[in-house]
Amino acid sequence: MKVIHWFREDLRLLDNPALSHAAEHADAEVVPVFIYPEGLGGASYWWLHKSLENLSKALKSKGVDLVFATGSPHTVLPKLAEQIGANLITWNRVYSPEGIEQGKQVKQALGNASVEHRSFNGQLLIEPTKVLNKQGLPFKVFTPFWRNCVSFLTARELAPEPRFKPSTHSLASEHLQDWGLQPTAPNWAKGFEPLWQPGEAGAQSRWREFLSGTIDTYKDGRDIPSESNTSLLSPHLVFGEISSQQLWNDVQEAIVGQQISHENGHKFLSEIGWREFSRYLLVHFPHLITEPFNARFTNFPWGDDAQLIKAWQQGQTGYPIVDAGMRELWQTGYMHNRVRMIVASFLTKHCLSHWHHGMAWFWDTLLDADIANNTASWQWVAGCGADASPYFRIFNPILQGEKFDKQGVYVKRWVPELADVPAKFIHKPWEADQPTLHAAKVALGTDYPLPIVDHKHARETALLAYQAIKT
Ligand SMILES: Cc1cc2nc3c(=O)[nH]c(=O)nc-3n(C[C@H](O)[C@H](O)[C@H](O)COP(=O)(O)OP(=O)(O)OC[C@H]3O[C@@H](n4cnc5c(N)ncnc54)[C@H](O)[C@@H]3O)c2cc1C
């Protein structure tokens, strides 16, 4: 008997409930299949290629061949099942609207073909439909949502790495190399290579390093972009290379064992809670991807000034903390969370650009591009999302820089033309006098741009736009 495991956003062997179920099935030979996902961004495809290479090697070392296929899952999977005579297909659920729809279509097609299916929660601590408020409605605010989740979350035993029977099937697989997921000319991803190790082994080693080190300074350290105080697990989590249940278990154990403080451990887990919340929101409010969560913003006069958007994308706005973030993103495929908030506020409020533009750029350039986190976070910063910061809270990019990058270490790393500007002016170089700029070897407007918008004026314009929809 053969069982197909359909790998989706669960590219791991440890604590993979659907895969374990497939392997435990009496006398089963597991045939793992991965189907080309349409519509990812460029950076995500780079990660996916490496992650699949590693998954394929890990399976091979256990005697199992990963099958690569292209097409709609509801067509591909029944066909493969028929070819090898599989009578069961397993998968871990994906919670985006597209992922849910795909699951439904596959179920229907398998039903028609009389092939059994079983789906599992391998992605979240809590199934989104299980958490409702006292009125039986979905939560719209994070704190009560998470408080509710924490009240019944427990450590669950992780599903062990499955043991497989060696592959005997003769399915023809496509070749990963032929999918062309890696950039060639130009290779814009060469900066990613030394920084990231996609795949399950990379995820586990990143996690062990964080858990035995910086997690214990997480609460205060997580807001300083020049330091590596956060886990950097986001792309690993997006591709399911490590389970959130493992993070939960390990943190609880480290707190009980007094290796880390309760405060730091729970602060970290609450960020995992934000990840749960954004998926939860998408399950209950799927229109979030295109429409503002707060309907009042439907007629907000968002603009789409192409020049402003381009300057923002290229890190040429003249606001050093914004430019540093956008350049970090381009060169590394990642941006620190504090800086994501600053650049998103700048685009949606200082430039009055629609959050769709920012979301699309992040989708293409982030290695951790994630439909739920990206959508919910952009709407949150733009002021129109669930539990959003009020619209009138407009981040001042100068004060944010001075608060979270006091000496300009982060800015100088990513905006080298400002390397010699004194800390006093690093977040507002236009206020420095000519001798200071001359000594710093920077000519504003030539080596580094003057601000593309005036902070005070932009702030007032944004507030006026907000006033208009409020009334
Ligand atoms: C405008 C904007 C867009 C964003 N887009 C994405 C995205 O596409 N993909 C993505 O994974 N995160 C996104 N985030 C959230 C956050 O910035 C990243 O998850 C975080 O910076 C990743 O770094 P880390 O793994 O070191 O995080 P850590 O601080 O170590 O946190 C651990 C994990 O918790 C989750 N997490 C942390 N912060 C958040 C948050 N605010 N919302 C939801 N989950 C969170 C992530 O899975 C993260 O890996 C976005 C934030 C903003 C403001």
Side-chain angles (χ1 to χ4, degrees):
M1 174 184 163
K2 293 189 176 66
V3 177
I4 291 181
H5 173 70
W6 175 26
F7 272 110
R8 304 175 80 193
E9 295 175 1
D10 58 335
L11 307 184
R12 64 175 185 274
L13 303 187
L14 177 63
D15 197 34
N16 186 325
L19 183 65
S20 291
H21 181 85
E24 280 159 16
H25 214 74
D27 293 332
E29 173 188 333
V30 178
V31 180
V33 173
F34 185 84
I35 302 175
Y36 177 86
E38 299 284 348
L40 298 193
S44 298
Y45 278 129
W46 177 88
W47 187 285
L48 179 67
H49 180 100
K50 307 252 173 213
S51 188
L52 287 173
E53 239 173 20
N54 287 327
L55 178 68
S56 181
K57 271 187 215 152
L59 286 165
K60 188 95 194 153
S61 73
K62 291 174 179 285
V64 178
D65 294 326
L66 177 59
V67 175
F68 295 102
T70 305
S72 309
H74 66 271
T75 315
V76 172
L77 291 167
K79 210 188 276 172
L80 292 179
E82 193 193 335
Q83 272 174 289
I84 57 172
N87 54 3
L88 173 65
I89 299 196
T90 62
W91 66 83
N92 290 303
R93 291 188 280 279
V94 167
Y95 294 90
S96 62
E98 196 190 339
I100 292 172
E101 185 53 33
Q102 250 183 6
K104 275 189 197 156
Q105 289 176 350
V106 170
K107 279 181 197 169
Q108 195 178 357
L110 293 177
N112 295 342
S114 303
V115 178
E116 221 191 310
H117 60 80
R118 271 173 226 156
S119 71
F120 295 78
N121 173 6
Q123 192 172 98
L124 289 172
L125 293 168
I126 291 189
E127 195 65 26
T129 45
K130 299 247 162 80
V131 186
L132 297 171
N133 66 18
K134 283 187 183 133
Q135 289 76 44
L137 297 169
F139 286 98
K140 294 180 177 176
V141 176
F142 174 73
T143 306
F145 161 80
W146 188 235
R147 204 183 299 127
N148 192 293
C149 294
V150 170
S151 70
F152 58 83
L153 268 172
T154 50
R156 161 179 71 68
E157 206 176 313
L158 302 185
E161 271 198 28
R163 289 219 279 219
F164 300 104
K165 298 201 163 46
S167 290
T168 59
H169 69 82
S170 54
L171 280 180
S173 170
E174 293 175 12
H175 296 288
L176 180 60
Q177 294 297 342
D178 296 341
W179 282 1
L181 304 182
Q182 300 279 279
T184 47
N187 178 8
W188 43 258
K190 53 181 180 293
F192 301 176
E193 298 275 352
L195 301 175
W196 302 101
Q197 191 194 338
E200 184 169 15
Q204 291 292 343
S205 96
R206 184 78 97 188
W207 174 234
R208 276 194 301 276
E209 198 184 320
F210 179 66
L211 189 63
S212 60
T214 36
I215 192 171
D216 215 18
T217 51
Y218 183 76
K219 185 169 170 285
D220 296 327
R222 64 185 286 272
D223 261 327
I224 310 298
S226 61
E227 295 171 11
S228 307
N229 291 324
T230 65
S231 70
L232 298 177
L233 278 178
S234 48
H236 297 289
L237 282 164
V238 168
F239 289 93
E241 296 166 356
I242 190 165
S243 77
S244 48
Q245 187 66 49
Q246 184 190 341
L247 307 185
W248 175 272
N249 289 7
D250 290 351
V251 168
Q252 297 294 358
E253 200 181 304
I255 293 172
V256 172
Q258 299 188 340
Q259 286 110 335
I260 64 172
S261 71
H262 183 276
E263 207 183 18
N264 282 309
H266 276 274
K267 183 67 195 161
F268 177 75
L269 289 179
S270 78
E271 295 307 319
I272 299 301
W274 275 100
R275 173 179 183 270
E276 298 271 322
F277 188 52
S278 59
R279 277 163 176 69
Y280 175 85
L281 288 173
L282 263 200
V283 167
H284 292 286
F285 309 101
H287 65 279
L288 241 164
I289 295 177
T290 49
E291 304 303 318
F293 184 83
N294 179 347
R296 182 188 277 169
F297 280 81
T298 306
N299 295 321
F300 189 84
W302 303 111
D304 56 359
D305 184 322
Q307 255 181 318
L308 292 181
I309 295 172
K310 192 167 173 204
W312 176 83
Q313 290 172 339
Q314 295 183 339
Q316 296 287 344
T317 68
Y319 286 93
I321 191 83
V322 174
D323 295 338
M326 298 309 293
R327 296 186 197 184
E328 178 187 24
L329 172 60
W330 184 251
Q331 288 173 46
T332 67
Y334 177 84
M335 191 195 302
H336 187 276
N337 180 60
R338 166 62 46 185
V339 191
R340 291 188 203 202
M341 292 195 279
I342 299 170
V343 305
S345 175
F346 186 84
L347 184 73
T348 53
K349 297 179 179 172
H350 285 74
C351 302
L352 272 187
S353 293
H354 201 294
W355 50 272
H356 286 167
H357 296 296
M359 196 171 116
W361 184 251
F362 270 28
W363 182 255
D364 200 26
T365 53
L366 273 175
L367 289 167
D368 65 26
D370 174 86
I371 193 70
N373 283 0
N374 202 26
T375 307
S377 301
W378 271 96
Q379 289 223 29
W380 186 86
V381 178
C384 54
D387 201 2
S389 62
Y391 183 84
F392 52 78
R393 186 168 166 230
I394 296 176
F395 278 172
N396 177 330
I398 305 154
L399 296 183
Q400 286 285 313
E402 288 173 349
K403 185 164 177 199
F404 296 107
D405 186 36
K406 236 179 227 143
Q407 298 303 318
V409 176
Y410 177 76
V411 161
K412 292 181 180 195
R413 186 180 302 155
W414 299 109
V415 188
E417 48 291 25
L418 300 180
D420 295 323
V421 172
K424 186 176 169 199
F425 297 111
I426 191 67
H427 295 290
K428 45 184 178 194
W430 59 90
E431 284 191 9
D433 58 20
Q434 273 315 315
T436 306
L437 289 174
H438 186 72
K441 301 181 281 298
V442 60
L444 292 186
T446 311
D447 304 323
Y448 182 71
L450 284 157
I452 53 168
V453 290
D454 171 67
H455 166 65
K456 196 161 166 275
H457 177 71
R459 184 172 189 281
E460 282 161 9
T461 312
L463 289 178
L464 275 178
Y466 177 57
Q467 206 56 35
I469 59 156
K470 239 177 91 179
T471 50

